[in-house]
mmCIF file of all heavy atoms in Angstrom:
data_model
loop_
_atom_site.group_PDB
_atom_site.id
_atom_site.type_symbol
_atom_site.label_atom_id
_atom_site.label_comp_id
_atom_site.label_asym_id
_atom_site.label_seq_id
_atom_site.Cartn_x
_atom_site.Cartn_y
_atom_site.Cartn_z
ATOM 1 N N LEU A 421 -16.413 10.700 4.631
ATOM 2 C CA LEU A 421 -16.776 12.073 4.959
ATOM 3 C C LEU A 421 -17.009 12.906 3.703
ATOM 4 O O LEU A 421 -17.653 13.944 3.739
ATOM 5 C CB LEU A 421 -15.683 12.730 5.813
ATOM 6 C CG LEU A 421 -15.205 11.908 7.016
ATOM 7 C CD1 LEU A 421 -14.103 12.638 7.776
ATOM 8 C CD2 LEU A 421 -16.370 11.591 7.952
ATOM 9 N N HIS A 422 -16.450 12.451 2.573
ATOM 10 C CA HIS A 422 -16.590 13.197 1.314
ATOM 11 C C HIS A 422 -17.560 12.518 0.348
ATOM 12 O O HIS A 422 -17.666 12.910 -0.812
ATOM 13 C CB HIS A 422 -15.228 13.320 0.632
ATOM 14 C CG HIS A 422 -14.203 14.013 1.484
ATOM 15 N ND1 HIS A 422 -14.017 15.367 1.479
ATOM 16 C CD2 HIS A 422 -13.331 13.536 2.400
ATOM 17 C CE1 HIS A 422 -13.067 15.697 2.344
ATOM 18 N NE2 HIS A 422 -12.638 14.600 2.914
ATOM 19 N N ALA A 423 -18.237 11.444 0.817
ATOM 20 C CA ALA A 423 -19.036 10.626 -0.103
ATOM 21 C C ALA A 423 -20.391 11.262 -0.402
ATOM 22 O O ALA A 423 -20.991 11.906 0.455
ATOM 23 C CB ALA A 423 -19.234 9.231 0.482
ATOM 24 N N ASP A 424 -20.873 11.041 -1.627
ATOM 25 C CA ASP A 424 -22.256 11.392 -1.948
ATOM 26 C C ASP A 424 -23.198 10.444 -1.219
ATOM 27 O O ASP A 424 -24.245 10.845 -0.739
ATOM 28 C CB ASP A 424 -22.491 11.284 -3.466
ATOM 29 C CG ASP A 424 -21.633 12.264 -4.231
ATOM 30 O OD1 ASP A 424 -21.860 13.467 -4.071
ATOM 31 O OD2 ASP A 424 -20.707 11.835 -4.947
ATOM 32 N N VAL A 425 -22.805 9.177 -1.200
ATOM 33 C CA VAL A 425 -23.586 8.189 -0.454
ATOM 34 C C VAL A 425 -22.617 7.317 0.329
ATOM 35 O O VAL A 425 -21.648 6.797 -0.238
ATOM 36 C CB VAL A 425 -24.398 7.271 -1.407
ATOM 37 C CG1 VAL A 425 -25.305 6.352 -0.581
ATOM 38 C CG2 VAL A 425 -25.208 8.077 -2.396
ATOM 39 N N HIS A 426 -22.870 7.175 1.623
ATOM 40 C CA HIS A 426 -22.077 6.252 2.433
ATOM 41 C C HIS A 426 -22.978 5.096 2.832
ATOM 42 O O HIS A 426 -23.917 5.266 3.607
ATOM 43 C CB HIS A 426 -21.526 6.973 3.679
ATOM 44 C CG HIS A 426 -20.747 6.057 4.584
ATOM 45 N ND1 HIS A 426 -20.434 6.355 5.883
ATOM 46 C CD2 HIS A 426 -20.215 4.826 4.361
ATOM 47 C CE1 HIS A 426 -19.746 5.365 6.423
ATOM 48 N NE2 HIS A 426 -19.610 4.412 5.524
ATOM 49 N N LEU A 427 -22.678 3.922 2.267
ATOM 50 C CA LEU A 427 -23.435 2.718 2.614
ATOM 51 C C LEU A 427 -22.740 2.062 3.797
ATOM 52 O O LEU A 427 -21.538 1.829 3.747
ATOM 53 C CB LEU A 427 -23.453 1.749 1.423
ATOM 54 C CG LEU A 427 -23.916 2.338 0.080
ATOM 55 C CD1 LEU A 427 -23.671 1.328 -1.044
ATOM 56 C CD2 LEU A 427 -25.386 2.719 0.141
ATOM 57 N N ARG A 428 -23.495 1.781 4.863
ATOM 58 C CA ARG A 428 -22.868 1.172 6.042
ATOM 59 C C ARG A 428 -23.467 -0.218 6.291
ATOM 60 O O ARG A 428 -24.306 -0.386 7.176
ATOM 61 C CB ARG A 428 -23.058 2.071 7.267
ATOM 62 C CG ARG A 428 -22.429 3.441 7.103
ATOM 63 C CD ARG A 428 -22.508 4.271 8.372
ATOM 64 N NE ARG A 428 -21.482 3.888 9.335
ATOM 65 C CZ ARG A 428 -21.162 4.619 10.406
ATOM 66 N NH1 ARG A 428 -21.793 5.733 10.679
ATOM 67 N NH2 ARG A 428 -20.216 4.209 11.229
ATOM 68 N N PRO A 429 -23.024 -1.216 5.492
ATOM 69 C CA PRO A 429 -23.589 -2.546 5.668
ATOM 70 C C PRO A 429 -23.109 -3.171 6.973
ATOM 71 O O PRO A 429 -22.032 -2.841 7.459
ATOM 72 C CB PRO A 429 -23.011 -3.329 4.481
ATOM 73 C CG PRO A 429 -21.705 -2.646 4.201
ATOM 74 C CD PRO A 429 -21.932 -1.196 4.508
ATOM 75 N N ARG A 430 -23.930 -4.061 7.530
ATOM 76 C CA ARG A 430 -23.430 -4.857 8.654
ATOM 77 C C ARG A 430 -22.266 -5.685 8.149
ATOM 78 O O ARG A 430 -22.335 -6.238 7.037
ATOM 79 C CB ARG A 430 -24.521 -5.823 9.135
ATOM 80 C CG ARG A 430 -25.560 -5.140 9.943
ATOM 81 C CD ARG A 430 -26.556 -6.139 10.543
ATOM 82 N NE ARG A 430 -27.748 -5.398 10.854
ATOM 83 C CZ ARG A 430 -28.867 -5.414 10.132
ATOM 84 N NH1 ARG A 430 -28.980 -6.224 9.099
ATOM 85 N NH2 ARG A 430 -29.877 -4.652 10.467
ATOM 86 N N PRO A 431 -21.202 -5.790 8.931
ATOM 87 C CA PRO A 431 -20.053 -6.584 8.478
ATOM 88 C C PRO A 431 -20.495 -7.986 8.054
ATOM 89 O O PRO A 431 -21.293 -8.625 8.745
ATOM 90 C CB PRO A 431 -19.158 -6.634 9.723
ATOM 91 C CG PRO A 431 -19.527 -5.395 10.497
ATOM 92 C CD PRO A 431 -20.979 -5.189 10.258
ATOM 93 N N GLY A 432 -19.988 -8.403 6.904
ATOM 94 C CA GLY A 432 -20.300 -9.753 6.432
ATOM 95 C C GLY A 432 -21.518 -9.839 5.535
ATOM 96 O O GLY A 432 -21.930 -10.939 5.172
ATOM 97 N N THR A 433 -22.096 -8.706 5.143
ATOM 98 C CA THR A 433 -23.306 -8.764 4.299
ATOM 99 C C THR A 433 -23.078 -8.193 2.892
ATOM 100 O O THR A 433 -24.022 -7.834 2.194
ATOM 101 C CB THR A 433 -24.482 -8.004 4.967
ATOM 102 O OG1 THR A 433 -24.127 -6.616 5.104
ATOM 103 C CG2 THR A 433 -24.813 -8.577 6.338
ATOM 104 N N ASN A 434 -21.810 -8.143 2.476
ATOM 105 C CA ASN A 434 -21.502 -7.551 1.163
ATOM 106 C C ASN A 434 -22.259 -8.166 0.003
ATOM 107 O O ASN A 434 -22.723 -7.451 -0.891
ATOM 108 C CB ASN A 434 -20.012 -7.727 0.848
ATOM 109 C CG ASN A 434 -19.150 -6.779 1.636
ATOM 110 O OD1 ASN A 434 -19.538 -5.647 1.885
ATOM 111 N ND2 ASN A 434 -17.977 -7.237 2.043
ATOM 112 N N VAL A 435 -22.333 -9.498 -0.013
ATOM 113 C CA VAL A 435 -22.910 -10.155 -1.189
ATOM 114 C C VAL A 435 -24.346 -9.668 -1.390
ATOM 115 O O VAL A 435 -24.746 -9.328 -2.508
ATOM 116 C CB VAL A 435 -22.812 -11.692 -1.065
ATOM 117 C CG1 VAL A 435 -23.554 -12.373 -2.204
ATOM 118 C CG2 VAL A 435 -21.338 -12.116 -1.061
#
Side-chain angles (χ1 to χ4, degrees):
L421 311 179
H422 301 271
D424 297 294
V425 186
H426 178 196
L427 308 171
R428 299 186 79 166
R430 283 186 201 103
T433 62
N434 285 324
V435 173

